[in-house]
Amino acid sequence: MSRADKPALTAWQRRARTELRNCATANPGNLQIVGEHGVGDDGSYRATIRLPTGELPAEANGLAVNAHEDVVVGIHPTPLVPPMTVVTHNRFAGHSHVLQGDRLCVYLDQSREWNPTLGMTGFLEQLWQFFCDAVAGRFDPAVALFHPVGGVVHQTAGTSTVVIRGPFPDITKPFTRAQLRQRSDHRLDLRWDVAPEAGMALAAVVVMPVALHYGAGTTLPQLLMAIAGAGHPEPSAVLRFFAATACRNPQGSPLYFVLAVPNKAGGHHHLVVGRLPSEVADELRKLVSLSTIDPSRIPPETAIEWCSVSDERPEITTRRDTDRPVNGFRGRKVHIWGCGGLGSWIAEFIARAGAAHIVVCDPGSVLGGLLVRQNYTEDDIGMKKAQALAARLRAISDTLVVDAVTALLPHTEGNSFLPDCDVLIDATVSVALGALLDGAARDQVGARPLMTQVATDSRTGTLGILTIAPPDHVAGPATIDREIGQVVLAGGGLERFHPLWEEPSPGDEIIPARGCSTPTFHGSAADLASVAGSLVSLLGPHLSAPTPGTHLIAASHAGGGPAHVFLNSAHGGPEQVP
């Protein structure tokens, strides 16, 4: 390529080059530019800089450095991507936050740490801090997610995502097998038990003895060399295992394989999943009869398609809602009576919180006008609300049991209509049902579930009320609600919540259709979901520490006044608790 044909520097690269040179001129004892290499094929401008690292305070587990370290800096054409940093040796291979043996992970979270307005001065400070932390041994390999496989994501665009939930078995041999079930066009579920099952494909599992510091490669020959270089069986043995596994799957199907790689920080194996295309798998099937498969028969360009992995094994993952109030619902059985504006959203939030069993009850059907605020879709129109909502909840979690009752309340055995559950949420706004719950609370003290009622206001749908009646409390939700209402309406300071007990004023309600249409409350999906989310979070802690009383909440866009108060009914009468 002639000089005229070489890519020109972008404005950002020119600025970065100038700043880099200025920093070297101003700090000759701390920074030297030992080479400028122009723009590479990837469009990055490269320069080699030298840093004086020999005097950095070192720890035994830290990165071992020389008196000076040379780093190749690659400046991307746009400021959206931080400079790439590479060393030209393999002395750092295997150290935390060193990718594939030579790339320094200077920005652990570039979306938060890389600020292009700080220019190359900010970058050089970050690079120097990397060496300070690495030499001092301050990097924790346990938080370097992809550290066992070179610190990089192994993923090919267009491949399916493999979901792994079962714990990795205790395996000492180098080879084993797993099963894959095609869940959808874009998802596969992996299971470790290998009992034959219709519709399941077998995957080869290679259990590595040590980490793959340089990654697993992008071609089959590279993978075989990486496995052998880590002290595993020779490439011919791996190929025979792959061929034998491919033969257990139909002709014309790909071969999936799993690499189980130990983590330097200890703990559980890191898992990556690859796929050999069907034509490659078919060639392996032809070779299965050979006692030895010569690796040289594999074309060097034989590509591996790396799958995205959703590794959800409980031993390595922490739920994102851990230590949040909704944790109270985890593993619980919940009844939700009324699947309308509040009930439909409450059901989804409880399902996502990890409930084990949800029963939804509602005799109504989904109509098009409800979609503006209830948790349904166009495809649900004409279905019973309970059945449509149950289908949505089942789609949220494979482990959740959901029952749909297309009646106001479920049929129960014996004299009581109360179900066997941990908590009952009445979202029907039914006076008659409230009276029944009050009677059950009085007659079954200590032998019933936690009972609650929820509602919103007619004028805006931005206020919420949650009434709690614990199993050992003699009063039911409706009684507690009446007592609280008298206190709120008689006292000062809580005027914004008066509409929850007052009769609707003219205009507070809406007539959704001309003719004989039942008036209903104003409110959007955003209003109702906001209120429902707050009520679910407030209810969660009551499952382990139930206290009788009422929570009153207002959405942040509801206007001035208190956003949340709890009125306790445990001491003979309602009492506001800060």
Side-chain angles (χ1 to χ4, degrees):
M1 180 183 293
S2 67
R3 185 179 184 87
D5 294 332
K6 289 186 177 181
L9 296 177
T10 65
W12 164 249
Q13 289 172 326
R14 290 194 300 272
R15 171 192 159 184
R17 181 181 64 178
T18 299
E19 291 178 354
L20 190 63
R21 290 172 176 174
N22 290 341
C23 288
T25 300
N27 303 276
N30 296 321
L31 174 67
Q32 292 178 263
I33 300 176
V34 296
E36 296 193 43
H37 317 298
V39 178
D41 293 339
D42 64 350
S44 294
Y45 169 77
R46 285 179 167 80
T48 300
I49 63 174
R50 179 168 294 165
L51 302 175
T53 52
E55 300 300 321
L56 289 174
E59 293 292 337
N61 64 332
L63 184 69
V65 295
N66 291 334
H68 296 87
E69 290 292 346
D70 289 352
V71 179
V72 179
V73 178
I75 300 171
H76 195 268
T78 78
L80 297 177
V81 180
M84 186 177 69
T85 49
V86 177
V87 293
T88 57
H89 54 76
N90 61 4
R91 289 185 286 109
F92 297 166
H95 194 278
S96 300
H97 303 301
V98 176
L99 312 182
Q100 293 184 305
D102 62 2
R103 195 160 84 242
L104 309 184
C105 187
V106 173
Y107 292 94
L108 306 185
D109 184 353
Q110 67 182 50
S111 64
R112 291 190 299 175
E113 297 174 355
W114 166 240
N115 184 351
T117 62
L118 300 177
M120 295 306 288
T121 300
F123 159 72
L124 290 170
E125 290 176 351
Q126 187 79 7
L127 176 60
W128 183 249
Q129 188 60 52
F130 170 89
F131 275 107
C132 292
D133 291 338
V135 172
R138 287 193 285 266
F139 287 140
D140 180 3
V143 302
L145 178 59
F146 303 106
H147 182 271
V149 286
V152 295
V153 179
H154 286 61
Q155 185 174 339
T156 306
T159 56
S160 297
T161 294
V162 178
V163 177
I164 305 174
R165 288 181 175 156
F168 184 70
D170 185 13
I171 298 173
T172 57
K173 56 186 180 179
F175 299 138
T176 187
R177 293 187 175 94
Q179 289 192 89
L180 283 169
R181 180 168 69 91
Q182 187 82 41
R183 178 71 174 266
S184 67
D185 291 340
H186 50 269
R187 172 179 172 177
L188 293 160
D189 289 350
L190 185 143
R191 286 171 33 180
W192 299 113
D193 54 287
V194 294
E197 185 174 323
M200 302 283 273
L202 278 182
V205 181
V206 180
V207 184
M208 300 299 303
V210 296
L212 299 174
H213 298 318
Y214 299 96
T218 59
T219 67
L220 180 53
Q222 289 174 356
L223 172 66
L224 296 174
M225 293 306 297
I227 292 174
H232 222 279
E234 290 300 308
S236 59
V238 178
L239 284 175
R240 275 197 53 78
F241 175 58
F242 278 8
T245 305
C247 283
R248 300 193 181 194
N249 296 320
Q251 185 79 11
S253 63
L255 173 66
Y256 288 87
F257 62 89
V258 181
L259 292 183
V261 188
N263 197 317
K264 177 182 177 181
H268 303 279
H269 286 76
H270 181 82
L271 305 177
V272 291
V273 180
R275 180 177 70 190
L276 297 179
S278 55
E279 57 272 19
V280 178
D282 284 343
E283 288 301 317
L284 288 174
R285 292 181 181 103
K286 296 177 182 177
L287 302 176
V288 72
S289 60
L290 300 178
S291 58
T292 300
I293 301 178
D294 185 357
S296 66
R297 301 185 65 161
I298 305 299
E301 68 277 7
T302 303
I304 294 170
E305 298 171 336
W306 292 108
C307 298
S308 173
V309 176
S310 181
D311 194 341
E312 303 164 27
R313 291 174 290 159
E315 63 264 33
I316 68 163
T317 58
T318 300
R319 284 183 60 106
R320 287 160 172 79
D321 61 359
T322 293
D323 298 328
R324 301 306 301 153
V326 296
N327 288 170
F329 292 101
R330 192 170 302 164
R332 303 282 191 169
K333 183 177 182 180
V334 182
H335 269 241
I336 301 169
W337 296 358
C339 303
L342 281 180
S344 62
W345 294 108
I346 285 173
E348 174 156 342
F349 297 149
I350 292 176
R352 295 186 184 277
H357 191 168
I358 295 177
V359 179
V360 289
C361 306
D362 197 302
S365 299
V366 179
L367 302 177
L370 304 180
L371 304 186
V372 299
R373 73 179 182 208
Q374 297 188 18
N375 194 12
Y376 300 103
T377 69
E378 291 278 4
D379 289 341
D380 297 330
I381 294 175
M383 293 182 65
K384 288 292 187 180
K385 285 185 179 182
Q387 292 172 337
L389 184 57
R392 180 174 180 82
L393 301 184
R394 294 186 190 107
I396 290 172
S397 171
D398 286 346
T399 61
L400 174 63
V401 176
V402 186
D403 296 325
V405 178
T406 56
L408 186 61
L409 53 98
H411 171 75
T412 55
E413 300 293 337
N415 297 325
S416 172
F417 72 95
L418 291 180
D420 178 18
C421 62
D422 295 299
V423 57
L424 188 161
I425 301 172
D426 173 19
T428 64
V429 201
S430 166
V431 174
L433 186 53
L436 285 176
L437 291 176
D438 263 12
R442 182 179 59 252
D443 298 338
Q444 296 179 244
V445 176
R448 56 177 171 78
L450 174 68
M451 295 195 300
T452 69
Q453 282 185 335
V454 296
T456 188
D457 67 299
S458 299
R459 186 170 61 86
T460 67
T462 61
L463 303 179
I465 179 171
L466 166 65
T467 301
I468 311 289
D472 59 355
H473 195 66
V474 68
T479 297
I480 295 174
D481 176 77
R482 286 193 297 272
E483 294 174 350
I484 297 293
Q486 293 170 3
V487 172
V488 171
L489 294 172
L494 298 177
E495 288 83 359
R496 75 177 311 177
F497 297 112
H498 286 188
L500 292 168
W501 286 276
E502 294 174 337
E503 287 297 317
S505 300
D508 280 358
E509 295 181 310
I510 187 173
I511 306 296
R514 293 176 180 174
C516 186
S517 178
T518 304
T520 187
F521 61 91
H522 293 262
S524 67
D527 297 325
L528 272 295
S530 173
V531 170
S534 293
L535 298 183
V536 168
S537 291
L538 291 169
L539 175 56
H542 283 278
L543 273 76
S544 56
T547 302
T550 296
H551 289 277
L552 304 176
I553 65 104
S556 58
H557 60 285
H564 170 235
V565 295
F566 177 64
L567 293 103
N568 191 325
S569 295
H571 306 295
E575 174 186 9
Q576 184 171 337
V577 177

